[in-house]
Amino acid sequence: MNRVRVYPQRRRSALPQRRKVSVARVLRLAAFGAGQCRDRGAPTPAPAPGPRSSHPEGEDGEALSGANCDSTYVGIQADTMVNAMTVLAKVSERRTDRMVNSNFSELPAFLVREPGLDSGYMIAQYTAAALTMELRGLAVPASADNVTTSANQEDAVGNAYLAALKAYRATRKLGYVIAIELMCAVQALDLLAPLAPSPAAEALRARIRETVPTVDEDRVFHTDIEHIAELVRNGDVLRAVEGVVGALRR
């Protein structure tokens, strides 16, 4: 907390020159900011309303000014979410690449029965790679950036809105990356027939094949990706697996 004299009973002309009603945010953040960084891995608490200024009893004109209005805590949490989603996308895209690459999978190139004639899932892997690159760009933390405002009064800006917006965008991009991996995985299972996967993998394949047929020759895959991405978003993918193995830890 920081102390500042507000002189409530005096006329403006009687105030000392350059006396400020509130101190700069970077000073108000002396304790609040350190706490937000220390607790970056803890659940986000409910924010307190307002700037957290108090006026103790008395006529000395002294006020205590805090920084509960600062959004850095939310920004740090959102930035951390984006970093985690980027890591998930990174490993998902690499698994997709290993499936479409016949040097690793020992399956037909790009998971199509006629790899010389059809391109198969080659461009789908391009799409996953491009989305992963976009996520890497989003992973640059917004809460660490700063542009001062209000004549340098708001000299430390939390940028939580930007961080939260990036997290929202990242969830959709990650959903598509995972959808592409699942699309390739069920095609790989089809190509491995008559070998049978685990019961959980078979349940998931059956759920996806309700709307996305096996690929025998090139077609536009946009609709397939959208169907599977919706299954990821609405929880159908998770429910298909949990129907076999039981509830998974959330």
Side-chain angles (χ1 to χ4, degrees):
M1 304 295 281
N2 294 275
R3 297 176 182 271
V4 59
R5 293 189 177 276
V6 297
Y7 298 96
Q9 304 301 325
R10 300 187 185 183
R11 295 174 57 188
R12 181 177 296 274
S13 60
L15 292 178
Q17 293 297 311
R18 302 185 64 81
R19 179 68 68 178
K20 294 184 178 295
V21 173
S22 178
V23 296
R25 181 176 293 189
V26 70
L27 301 178
R28 294 156 60 189
L29 279 170
F32 285 76
Q36 291 174 129
C37 295
R38 181 199 64 188
D39 298 335
R40 65 191 182 280
T44 304
R52 195 62 178 176
S53 297
S54 60
H55 297 265
E57 296 181 1
E59 299 296 334
D60 61 357
E62 188 174 80
L64 301 178
S65 180
N68 279 13
C69 60
D70 185 72
S71 64
T72 300
Y73 203 113
V74 176
I76 291 174
Q77 301 297 322
D79 283 333
T80 302
M81 290 171 58
V82 176
N83 287 333
M85 287 187 280
T86 302
V87 172
L88 287 174
K90 174 183 70 176
V91 296
S92 175
E93 183 276 325
R94 288 292 82 201
R95 287 192 295 262
T96 296
D97 180 73
R98 295 184 74 87
M99 286 187 283
V100 301
N101 188 335
S102 59
N103 294 319
F104 292 105
S105 66
E106 299 183 3
L107 291 169
F110 305 114
L111 301 176
V112 67
R113 299 185 191 279
E114 299 289 341
L117 181 63
D118 294 313
S119 297
Y121 286 130
M122 178 178 65
I123 302 302
Q125 187 269 327
Y126 284 19
T127 304
L131 288 166
T132 301
M133 292 299 292
E134 290 183 28
L135 281 164
R136 288 174 182 169
L138 292 176
V140 177
S143 56
D145 204 351
N146 188 59
V147 176
T148 61
T149 57
S150 190
N152 214 46
Q153 186 70 10
E154 305 294 340
D155 52 354
V157 180
N159 291 319
Y161 172 77
L162 297 179
L165 185 60
K166 289 198 303 154
Y168 173 76
R169 291 171 175 166
T171 57
R172 295 191 61 82
K173 295 181 186 297
L174 174 61
Y176 286 124
V177 173
I178 293 174
I180 291 170
E181 181 188 1
L182 292 175
M183 181 177 69
C184 292
V186 296
Q187 177 74 6
L189 291 176
D190 291 344
L191 293 173
L192 287 170
L195 297 177
S198 69
E202 178 56 36
L204 179 56
R205 176 172 67 170
R207 179 66 185 88
I208 291 174
R209 284 291 178 244
E210 291 177 11
T211 54
V212 178
T214 301
V215 175
D216 294 318
E217 58 184 13
D218 279 352
R219 64 172 184 256
V220 176
F221 295 122
H222 166 75
T223 303
D224 296 351
I225 295 172
E226 287 291 349
H227 278 307
I228 300 174
E230 182 58 27
L231 296 179
V232 172
R233 286 192 290 264
N234 65 23
D236 275 9
V237 165
L238 185 60
R239 283 189 289 272
V241 174
E242 288 184 330
V244 177
V245 303
L248 298 173
R249 185 176 178 180
R250 306 293 178 86

